[in-house]
Amino acid sequence: MSSPPAIQTERLTKHYRLGVTRRKIEAVVDLDLEVGEGEIFAFIGLNGAGKTTTLKLLLDHARPTRGSAAIFGVNCRDPRARARVGYLPDLPHFYRFLTARELIDYCGRLFGMKRSDRKERSRRLLGLVGLSDRADEPLKGFSRGMLQRLGLAQALINDPVLVLLDEPLGGLDPIGRVELREVISGLKREGCTVFFSSHILDDAQRIADRVGIIHRGRLLACGSLEDLLLKNPGWDVELEVSGDLDLEAVCRRYGWRQELSDGRCHIVIPDDESLKEFYALAASGQVRPQSIGRRQVNLEEAFIAELDRWQG
Amino acid sequence: MTLWRKYTSIVLWGGLVAASFWVLLLLQHRVEAIQEERAAQSELLYVPDWRVLHGLALGDDATAADLLWIRSVFYISAQRFHDAYHEYLGVPHHHHGHHHEKVHHHNHKLDHKDIHRTDSKRPVEQIPDSVDFLELDFRKHPLLQGSLYWNIGSEDGRYLYRMLDIVTRLDPHFITPYVQGAMNLALMAGRYEEALDLLEKGTVEQPDRWEMPYYRGFIRLFFQNNKVGAVEDIQDAALKPDAPIIVVQLAAALQIGIGRRDLAVRYLRTIYEITEDEKLKTKIRDMLRVYGGGPKAGTTARKPQVGKMLDSLLVEQ
Amino acid sequence: MAGLNRIWAVAQTTFRETIRNKILLHMVGFAVAMLGLAWVVSNWSIGEPDKIITDLGLTITVLIGVLIALFAGIVLVYGEVERGTILPILAKPLPRWEFVLGKFIGFSGAVLLVYVGMNLILILLLAAVGRPITPHLWQAMYLSIWEIELVVALALLFSSFSNPSLSALYTIMLYVAGRFSFDIKLFIDSNPLAPSRPILEVVYGVIPHLSYFNLRQAAVHTLDIPWERVVWPTVYGVLYCGVVLIIAALAFRSRDLA
């Protein structure tokens, strides 16, 4: 029997009721998600897409309206599911009158760790996030970035096998982001599963193995980064136009997209069918292709394409 | 330049605040001048019903009683101050007058339905009203200074009684309001009946305390000239467990004073029997030795001593 | 066992967080000022100043204890949810009822520390004015602790599902009703045919009977206090707190953290 996946949700759904009118908000709808052990999974979507709600459901901060979620096979409603989980909230806030060291120690105690382990590990983690010299100051004087780092340290106190990070790159400066990416890569090397939500696609593209795109509570696409980026990427064609051809009209007719770069003419041809039309055009001598290649898509484009597809 | 502007703004704002405060003070003065003096005092008089106060106290009735008692004290002293102030200015004041001139002799009609005085074994005899044996100017006593000379009049005394009534309802164990309240009611307002009622209430609530019957006797003796009643009350006081020796002595002395040496002796013997206080037993033995021998002349000879005794009793308090 | 450790960890952290808040220090300063005022006021009385200072002192300390319990208690859970400090904590393997219980214990400890401190000051003051320190006094102070505990539990209950304004309103309502519990009983007994009787019976059953915990008047006048008068209210206090905490835990269990 194979070990259960790190995260598995089945038809996970959460509705909220808002205001006096009890207006129904569908935060997450029929979410089927599976994150394997050792993966770095990026959960991307616009603000309000349902990323944070999904995390809340995984952590039992909220109860699902229907469906279920499990962490390593243990239902999320059971506190034991969180025994080897680390969690960093979006814009974390901590007790104002505790010191950083006390907070981390407190978190360690909630995991049932021994005093000596807590001491050793909190010292190491505070060093890792660069807060060693401010470990004994009350948190009310900490900046947003420092709280974010402390949040990461407390998330790792229990040597977790699954780390859930909500917008971890949000409050950080560029150097902080680089450092955090390194930390996440380090976690992966140690065999830890990382699930993070983000709307910063560039960072997601750099570190994620797999990506899920969520929009209005629904999972639009999910797969490895390669799959997602190469899914119907189309063709990149560089060409020269001869004579009086109205390229714009041609593009409009065939549904190509025209791009101009370095004074050269580029078009994007979405699929193979369309490419045949281009060959016909080239054969007629109206255009002279300079290069034809598979298109390199970044996550941003893939994301927008998925949204377009969903709306169209 | 910036520094100069900074200091200027501090001075300007500070001046504005100071000026506003000054105007505020002037305003206060003005409002207080408009207020009629009596009206200002009657504000002290406003007291809601005791049930309302009980509600406001949320169960800590004793604390409410304390605060209202303090207010009564303010009221008493405010009245004293008010009248003294008029005296000082030379303004004739309608309440002004010496108290002992107003002492009436109307107590015999009173119907004292005293709960603890239903003891039928006690001899009740009609005793002549003319025993005037106490050569004592109790007005000189420090406690009574002031209150005797400035009295608040019967009408305001009614409010004082009401306050005291509420205080003692809220905290029936609080002795001071019964005693001090009753004395001030009697001394300042001439409201003897209410003073006696208050003390009576205190006796019902606190049957073991000697203070209430003692001051009942005091008021009957000095203000109502009711010697028979006074003797009974003070004798009652002397029978209470914690009564000071001096009260016992006074009770005996009063009985001698009204010509009932036999009662005094019998009474002293009773006390001697029931008390466990060795000091008191010795004292009573001495007293019995004195009262037991010698004819009526002994009473006359003892006049100054009784006065002294009473004096020292007043000082005790 | 692990559960106990977690509850203790929550309690200790809550205690620290409460104690280090400057507001508490201000409240203690306020209490000292009020006790000083009580001393001044007691001197204005013509007689029994020690009675007055004892009365006022006992009332002041319990009222300030209740005030702290109320105003810090109503944000105890609500504030954590609102600020989000609860999110990383409940992401640990910590059942919600343990969180509620730990909060209660830690916060109670902090309030009691302040209450005991205020009472020590009061005792010193009483000794200074020559008031004998009788066992009555300790008994009254002890039972007042339960009055404060009940307020802590109620504030915590409302805090776990309602906003501070409403929590304050509900807690104050129950507190006042509880102080009146004896009068409500009197009314029920003296008006057996009143149409409102069934409602009042229910109200009487539900409200915290805070008058059980008021021995202050008896203590001031050193009246006899039988041991049952202390033991049974204690049992009542423990049970009432327990029931309120169970309701709080149930209410909080099904709550979505915004």
Side-chain angles (χ1 to χ4, degrees), chain B residues 244-260:
Chain B
I245 295 172
I246 199 87
V247 177
V248 177
Q249 286 174 315
L250 178 65
L254 283 174
Q255 280 162 336
I256 304 284
I258 60 172
R260 295 303 306 260

Side-chain angles (χ1 to χ4, degrees), chain C residues 3 24 38 88 103 172 221 223 239:
Chain C
L24 214 61
K103 276 267 147 196
I172 290 171
H221 297 296
L223 307 179
L239 285 180

Side-chain angles (χ1 to χ4, degrees), chain B residues 35-44:
Chain B
Q35 240 175 4
E36 214 185 318
E37 296 151 42
R38 276 317 220 188
Q41 291 196 351
S42 65
E43 222 159 79
L44 267 175

Side-chain angles (χ1 to χ4, degrees), chain B residues 122-180:
Chain B
R122 180 167 294 150
V124 181
E125 283 153 80
Q126 193 57 45
I127 294 160
D129 209 55
S130 59
V131 188
D132 200 7
F133 59 93
L134 291 165
E135 295 171 348
L136 171 73
D137 188 0
F138 60 87
R139 278 171 288 149
K140 283 188 184 140
H141 190 272
L143 169 73
L144 309 180
Q145 285 288 317
S147 39
L148 257 192
Y149 298 97
W150 320 113
N151 72 76
I152 58 177
S154 189
E155 197 50 32
D156 285 352
R158 202 161 55 96
Y159 293 111
L160 181 60
Y161 173 70
R162 198 167 150 240
M163 276 203 268
L164 294 167
D165 182 48
I166 296 170
V167 170
T168 49
R169 268 175 203 270
L170 288 173
D171 187 357
H173 299 283
F174 195 6
I175 303 298
T176 303
Y178 295 122
V179 171
Q180 293 287 351

Side-chain angles (χ1 to χ4, degrees), chain A residues 17-89:
Chain A
R17 300 243 167 223
L18 271 192
V20 190
T21 53
R22 314 296 289 156
R23 191 161 57 90
K24 193 165 90 172
I25 303 286
E26 295 185 326
V28 175
V29 182
D30 289 334
L31 183 70
D32 288 310
L33 198 66
E34 196 173 306
V35 177
E37 202 175 338
E39 273 183 348
I40 298 183
F41 188 92
F43 202 42
I44 60 179
L46 303 174
N47 291 328
K51 305 183 297 269
T52 299
T53 303
T54 306
L55 280 167
K56 281 187 197 306
L57 292 170
L58 289 176
L59 289 161
D60 194 30
H61 287 170
R63 290 210 290 189
T65 308
R66 63 166 186 271
S68 67
I71 290 175
F72 290 109
V74 182
N75 191 310
C76 289
R77 299 284 298 152
D78 186 343
R80 278 172 298 186
R82 303 189 288 274
R84 301 290 311 270
V85 173
Y87 166 62
L88 167 68

